[in-house]
Amino acid sequence: MQFHASLKINCLYTNTQFTVNGLTVNDISADQWEKHWKVDKDQINDDVLQILKIPSGKIKVLKIIGVWMTDSMTQALLPHLDVMDELSLFSELNEMNLNRCMEDISRKILDRQNKIIIRLSGSASTYWKPLVQCLGKISELQLDMRYISKEELQLLKEEIQQLPCPQDFNLNVIEVTAEESSEGSYYQDEYYDEYYDEDYDYY
């Protein structure tokens, strides 16, 4: 497989610009690629699509921030979900078209052999419900407290209790800003305990 055009992408943890040409990065073979990737709304669709077309297994951690997920992007993402360790989606203004792709993502996760970490931040947390069908293949689910109600959280907790080993499921309900999602750091907001009842159980 060859990429005929050079492509600028961001390597998440080094903030270094790489040029992708064929299957080498700065003369480094594909087997030695950094496997933590980030795509965001400032990148043009063709660049995002080519990144997602990297061979399966070359992306272990992927953050998608504010990108409008076209059908082509969703289809390119799906093969990575077989082996990816972590997928993070951050949306500020429902600008990612997640209502169309979360069903496909959830069905693909259902076919996994190992469990995956899913982080939905900002308004992306609104689209957690399709994940109910594949909770058994998720080890950790992060949701943004601003976009899930107490009633919805209780419903999710009831679904988790139906899992064979619910104690192994890690549910995090926090607040994540756009800047923190981009940098890969998350925090539990200081008013977390005030927002929910003290006697409410959390994972």
Side-chain angles (χ1 to χ4, degrees):
M1 176 181 176
Q2 291 285 326
F3 293 143
H4 299 293
S6 293
L7 173 64
K8 294 282 189 179
I9 61 178
N10 289 320
C11 174
L12 179 60
Y13 293 122
T14 63
N15 293 320
T16 302
Q17 289 280 318
F18 291 102
T19 299
V20 176
N21 191 4
L23 289 181
T24 62
V25 180
N26 292 353
D27 297 323
I28 300 174
S29 69
D31 290 339
Q32 297 173 292
W33 278 5
E34 169 64 59
K35 295 185 178 181
H36 295 231
W37 300 87
K38 178 182 69 177
V39 295
D40 59 47
K41 60 185 177 182
D42 294 328
Q43 295 171 273
I44 63 173
N45 284 357
D46 286 348
D47 285 2
V48 173
L49 187 57
Q50 288 201 51
I51 292 169
L52 294 176
K53 286 184 176 179
I54 289 173
S56 178
K58 301 305 179 184
I59 299 178
K60 289 297 187 180
V61 176
L62 176 64
K63 294 181 180 294
I64 303 177
I65 302 173
V67 175
W68 179 265
M69 294 295 293
T70 65
D71 290 342
S72 296
M73 290 179 190
T74 301
Q75 292 306 309
L77 169 64
L78 295 181
H80 296 289
L81 291 171
D82 286 330
V83 292
M84 184 185 294
D85 294 332
E86 180 179 325
L87 174 65
S88 297
L89 304 173
F90 183 93
S91 174
E92 294 183 82
L93 301 170
N94 289 314
E95 77 278 28
M96 293 182 63
N97 197 32
L98 293 179
N99 60 316
R100 294 186 59 116
C101 69
M102 284 303 293
E103 285 287 351
D104 289 338
I105 289 174
S106 299
R107 282 194 292 268
K108 190 64 175 179
I109 290 174
L110 191 61
D111 294 332
R112 286 177 59 95
Q113 295 297 316
N114 300 317
K115 294 185 178 182
I116 187 173
I117 296 171
I118 301 293
R119 304 186 189 278
L120 302 181
S121 305
S123 59
S125 295
T126 306
Y127 302 99
W128 64 270
K129 290 183 180 178
L131 295 173
V132 168
Q133 63 184 303
C134 60
L135 288 177
K137 296 300 178 70
I138 298 174
S139 61
E140 178 179 339
L141 175 61
Q142 175 184 290
L143 299 173
D144 193 315
M145 61 186 294
R146 297 168 298 174
Y147 294 91
I148 182 169
S149 67
K150 290 183 181 180
E151 292 76 18
E152 289 176 321
L153 187 56
Q154 179 60 35
L155 176 62
L156 176 56
K157 289 183 59 181
E158 291 173 357
E159 294 290 344
I160 293 171
Q161 284 296 326
Q162 300 302 314
L163 297 174
C165 297
Q167 68 276 11
D168 294 335
F169 192 97
N170 188 13
L171 175 62
N172 293 318
V173 183
I174 61 177
E175 181 177 0
V176 180
T177 67
E179 179 180 359
E180 286 161 337
S181 180
S182 177
E183 293 175 353
S185 61
Y186 303 92
Y187 76 102
Q188 180 168 301
D189 190 84
E190 62 184 5
Y191 65 81
Y192 178 89
D193 291 332
E194 298 176 3
Y195 187 79
Y196 293 116
D197 296 334
E198 293 183 356
D199 59 352
Y200 210 67
D201 294 327
Y202 295 92
Y203 289 91

